[in-house]
Short mmCIF file of all heavy atoms in Angstrom, two decimals:
data_model
loop_
_atom_site.label_atom_id
_atom_site.label_comp_id
_atom_site.label_asym_id
_atom_site.label_seq_id
_atom_site.Cartn_x
_atom_site.Cartn_y
_atom_site.Cartn_z
N GLU A 40 -42.24 121.22 13.67
CA GLU A 40 -41.12 121.88 14.30
C GLU A 40 -40.23 120.86 14.87
O GLU A 40 -40.67 119.86 15.51
CB GLU A 40 -41.59 122.80 15.42
CG GLU A 40 -42.40 123.99 14.94
CD GLU A 40 -42.83 124.96 16.09
OE1 GLU A 40 -42.76 124.50 17.20
OE2 GLU A 40 -43.21 126.08 15.73
N ILE A 41 -38.88 120.99 14.73
CA ILE A 41 -37.88 120.04 15.08
C ILE A 41 -37.01 120.64 16.22
O ILE A 41 -36.58 121.81 16.13
CB ILE A 41 -36.96 119.62 13.95
CG1 ILE A 41 -37.80 119.16 12.72
CG2 ILE A 41 -36.00 118.53 14.36
CD1 ILE A 41 -38.62 117.90 12.89
N TYR A 42 -36.65 119.81 17.19
CA TYR A 42 -35.76 120.19 18.30
C TYR A 42 -34.79 119.07 18.48
O TYR A 42 -35.13 117.90 18.38
CB TYR A 42 -36.61 120.42 19.59
CG TYR A 42 -37.65 121.48 19.40
CD1 TYR A 42 -38.96 121.13 18.95
CD2 TYR A 42 -37.47 122.79 19.71
CE1 TYR A 42 -39.94 122.05 18.76
CE2 TYR A 42 -38.40 123.77 19.48
CZ TYR A 42 -39.69 123.33 19.06
OH TYR A 42 -40.69 124.30 18.83
N CYS A 43 -33.49 119.43 18.83
CA CYS A 43 -32.48 118.44 18.93
C CYS A 43 -31.78 118.51 20.28
O CYS A 43 -31.41 119.61 20.76
CB CYS A 43 -31.46 118.64 17.78
SG CYS A 43 -32.10 118.23 16.19
N ALA A 44 -31.44 117.30 20.80
CA ALA A 44 -30.61 117.20 21.91
C ALA A 44 -29.26 116.65 21.44
O ALA A 44 -29.16 115.49 20.98
CB ALA A 44 -31.20 116.31 23.02
N ASP A 45 -28.20 117.39 21.52
CA ASP A 45 -26.85 117.00 21.16
C ASP A 45 -26.74 116.25 19.88
O ASP A 45 -26.90 116.76 18.78
CB ASP A 45 -26.19 116.31 22.38
CG ASP A 45 -24.61 116.46 22.34
OD1 ASP A 45 -24.19 117.56 22.04
OD2 ASP A 45 -23.96 115.49 22.62
N LYS A 46 -26.46 114.92 20.06
CA LYS A 46 -26.17 114.13 18.79
C LYS A 46 -27.31 114.08 17.82
O LYS A 46 -27.22 113.72 16.66
CB LYS A 46 -25.80 112.72 19.23
CG LYS A 46 -25.11 111.89 18.07
CD LYS A 46 -24.55 110.59 18.56
CE LYS A 46 -23.85 109.90 17.41
NZ LYS A 46 -23.34 108.55 17.88
N GLY A 47 -28.57 114.44 18.28
CA GLY A 47 -29.66 114.50 17.43
C GLY A 47 -29.49 115.43 16.26
O GLY A 47 -30.14 115.27 15.19
N ILE A 48 -28.58 116.42 16.40
CA ILE A 48 -28.36 117.36 15.25
C ILE A 48 -27.75 116.66 14.06
O ILE A 48 -28.02 117.07 12.92
CB ILE A 48 -27.43 118.49 15.74
CG1 ILE A 48 -27.41 119.63 14.71
CG2 ILE A 48 -26.01 118.02 16.08
CD1 ILE A 48 -28.71 120.24 14.35
N GLU A 49 -26.95 115.58 14.30
CA GLU A 49 -26.42 114.84 13.13
C GLU A 49 -27.58 114.24 12.34
O GLU A 49 -27.50 114.25 11.14
CB GLU A 49 -25.49 113.73 13.67
CG GLU A 49 -24.25 114.24 14.37
CD GLU A 49 -23.30 113.11 14.77
OE1 GLU A 49 -23.41 112.11 14.08
OE2 GLU A 49 -22.52 113.27 15.66
N VAL A 50 -28.54 113.64 13.01
CA VAL A 50 -29.70 113.03 12.32
C VAL A 50 -30.49 114.09 11.55
O VAL A 50 -30.89 113.88 10.44
CB VAL A 50 -30.55 112.32 13.33
CG1 VAL A 50 -31.76 111.70 12.64
CG2 VAL A 50 -29.75 111.26 14.09
N ALA A 51 -30.73 115.22 12.24
CA ALA A 51 -31.50 116.29 11.59
C ALA A 51 -30.83 116.79 10.36
O ALA A 51 -31.43 116.87 9.31
CB ALA A 51 -31.70 117.38 12.60
N LEU A 52 -29.60 117.20 10.47
CA LEU A 52 -28.91 117.78 9.28
C LEU A 52 -28.73 116.80 8.20
O LEU A 52 -28.78 117.16 6.98
CB LEU A 52 -27.59 118.33 9.74
CG LEU A 52 -27.62 119.53 10.67
CD1 LEU A 52 -26.21 119.99 10.99
CD2 LEU A 52 -28.45 120.68 10.14
N SER A 53 -28.45 115.48 8.49
CA SER A 53 -28.30 114.53 7.47
C SER A 53 -29.62 114.27 6.67
O SER A 53 -29.62 113.75 5.56
CB SER A 53 -27.84 113.17 8.05
OG SER A 53 -28.83 112.60 8.88
#
Side-chain angles (χ1 to χ4, degrees):
E40 292 182 347
I41 308 295
Y42 303 87
C43 292
D45 206 40
K46 196 173 182 180
I48 189 61
E49 295 185 25
V50 178
L52 294 181
S53 67

